[in-house]
Amino acid sequence: MEQEEIWDTDAAQRYDTPGTGMFAPEVLGPTVDRLAELAGGGAALEFAIGTGRVAVPLAGRGVPVTGIELSRPMLDRLRAKADEATIPVIVGDMATATAPGTYTLVYLVYNTISNLLTQAEQVECFRNAARHLGPGGRFVIELWVPELRKLPPGQTATVWHAEPGYIGLDTYDVLRQHVVSHHFSFDDTKRARLFRSPHRYIWPAELDLMAQLAGFALESRHADWTGTEFTAESRSHVSVYRIPPSR
């Protein structure tokens, strides 16, 4: 399926969960705090801005935010929260679409770079970020660490989350570095709802090489937005790349 088909009206409606999940204050608060700090008083550009989960509170902190978004249903949800004058958005692919102006910060959160399904597209995403940044500008990526250590020989799937009413599992194609995330939601009836999305997973070292190809250097990497140390056991990371101050 194309990304436009995956992130349709139904997906956009289910994406927003005010106060819970990825919208929980303990999740969203540190994200916005760190991005506001990294913007350094300048303007920010969000790739795959979605429904404005991060952009709306970040703009509320006084950071001028522009977005790029491929899904019109996701953008429609954003427009119910902020108009074009408040948060301008360019409709297009984050690897190729361009926004007017120069920014101090470009950011891409919640694993979204993996929605680009080839290495070439992911490299172009880095290059697109670099095109929008001035000297000293930063590109921030939040991304999960592939859980291949959990895969015994012959097994192709891992359960990464389970709670009452929800199971999340990933199926891996290790030859192509592809993974399909399966989200099962259910209640006491016999029916369940399934949402699936394909991804290309990226190792941190591969991500660093992509950055280097686009002219970035790794400035910092932590396990989360609060600055927890990144270790071999970390399940995700927040990586900050920077364009040299003079080039």
Side-chain angles (χ1 to χ4, degrees), residues 45 47 66-68 88-90 96-103 128 131-132:
L45 173 64
F47 284 175
T66 299
I68 290 175
V89 178
I90 289 79
T96 57
T98 57
T102 301
Y103 302 83
N128 198 27
R131 284 192 288 269
H132 287 90

Side-chain angles (χ1 to χ4, degrees), residues 172-185:
Y172 285 87
D173 175 351
V174 296
L175 289 179
R176 297 190 299 160
Q177 275 185 227
H178 279 189
V179 58
V180 178
S181 291
H182 302 71
H183 305 266
F184 295 91
S185 302

Side-chain angles (χ1 to χ4, degrees), residues 143-166:
L143 187 60
W144 97 99
V145 178
E147 295 192 306
L148 269 65
R149 292 167 62 190
K150 292 184 176 181
L151 284 177
Q155 183 171 313
T156 60
T158 63
V159 175
W160 51 268
H161 191 80
E163 63 181 53
Y166 176 80

Side-chain angles (χ1 to χ4, degrees), residues 17 38 49 63 154 158 162 188 211:
T17 56
L38 290 169
I49 195 171
V63 179
T158 63
D188 293 334

Side-chain angles (χ1 to χ4, degrees), residues 39-150:
L45 173 64
E46 180 171 0
F47 284 175
I49 195 171
T51 68
R53 179 183 73 96
V54 174
V56 170
L58 186 60
R61 294 279 294 272
V63 179
V65 181
T66 299
I68 290 175
E69 176 56 49
L70 185 64
S71 166
R72 290 188 179 275
M74 297 287 274
L75 179 54
D76 289 342
R77 298 283 293 186
L78 169 59
R79 284 289 165 253
K81 307 170 190 176
D83 61 21
E84 179 71 18
T86 304
I87 301 179
V89 178
I90 289 79
V91 177
D93 188 284
M94 58 186 164
T96 57
T98 57
T102 301
Y103 302 83
T104 61
L105 176 69
V106 178
Y107 64 95
L108 184 51
V109 298
Y110 217 76
N111 309 321
T112 311
I113 191 171
S114 67
N115 288 349
L116 299 170
L117 299 181
T118 69
Q119 186 184 69
E121 290 175 310
Q122 291 168 349
V123 170
E124 283 306 308
C125 183
F126 271 91
R127 289 177 172 150
N128 198 27
R131 284 192 288 269
H132 287 90
L133 291 167
R138 293 178 171 92
F139 183 31
V140 182
I141 291 182
E142 178 186 18
L143 187 60
W144 97 99
V145 178
E147 295 192 306
L148 269 65
R149 292 167 62 190
K150 292 184 176 181

